[in-house]
């Protein structure tokens, strides 16, 4: 299951040293509803290897602002606490899986 990423916990999660994937979304966003189940599947598949989480931009404006999230869904990919890749808009599972594999 994907972690809940919030304004209060995102810095700790990025500091853990594992690769991190954050899906920025909102409940009212149609394309986010297509990406959400893919992110949940990947969170299960990569459990223990990659920290995968979801951040509701309506409830967590601080983290969204820090990373300049203007369109959702946006998925950010982090390695060693630094953003190394980004995907804006919906995509199929293979697109996200390939970006995760590149983090490992």
């Amino acid at each position: 299951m994907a972690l809940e990423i919030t304004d209060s916990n995102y810095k700790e999660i990025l500091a853990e040293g594992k690769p991190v994937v954050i899906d920025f979304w909102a409940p009212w966003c149609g394309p986010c509803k297509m990406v959400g189940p893919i992110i949940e599947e990947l969170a299960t598949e990569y459990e223990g290897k990659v920290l995968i989480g979801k951040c509701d931009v309506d409830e967590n404006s601080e983290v969204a602002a820090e990373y300049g999230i203007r369109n959702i869904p946006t998925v950010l990919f982090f390695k060693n606490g630094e953003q190394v890749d980004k995907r804006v808009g919906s995509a199929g599972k293979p697109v996200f899986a390939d970006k995760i594999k590149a983090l490992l």
Side-chain angles (χ1 to χ4, degrees):
M1 183 167 174
L3 300 166
E4 182 180 352
I5 308 291
T6 65
D7 287 344
S8 60
N9 74 1
Y10 77 97
K11 289 182 181 174
E12 289 170 27
I13 290 169
L14 290 173
E16 284 193 33
K18 285 186 179 174
V20 176
V21 176
I22 303 176
D23 171 23
F24 290 88
W25 70 288
W28 47 263
C29 165
C32 297
K33 292 176 183 169
M34 295 187 306
V35 171
I38 294 169
I39 295 299
E40 291 290 346
E41 281 179 40
L42 292 167
T44 301
E45 289 174 26
Y46 287 93
E47 192 169 353
K49 297 178 192 161
V50 180
L51 297 173
I52 299 178
K54 297 170 65 69
C55 180
D56 182 337
V57 296
D58 288 342
E59 295 180 8
N60 300 285
S61 58
E62 182 182 310
V63 63
E66 180 163 336
Y67 291 102
I69 304 302
R70 290 185 180 81
N71 299 303
I72 53 174
T74 293
V75 180
L76 300 183
F77 301 83
F78 297 85
K79 190 167 189 170
N80 300 320
E82 299 293 320
Q83 181 185 333
V84 296
D85 203 352
K86 169 178 172 171
R87 171 69 196 204
V88 179
S90 69
K93 185 176 176 182
V95 172
F96 295 111
D98 286 347
K99 289 182 178 290
I100 291 170
K101 288 174 194 162
L103 296 174
L104 299 174

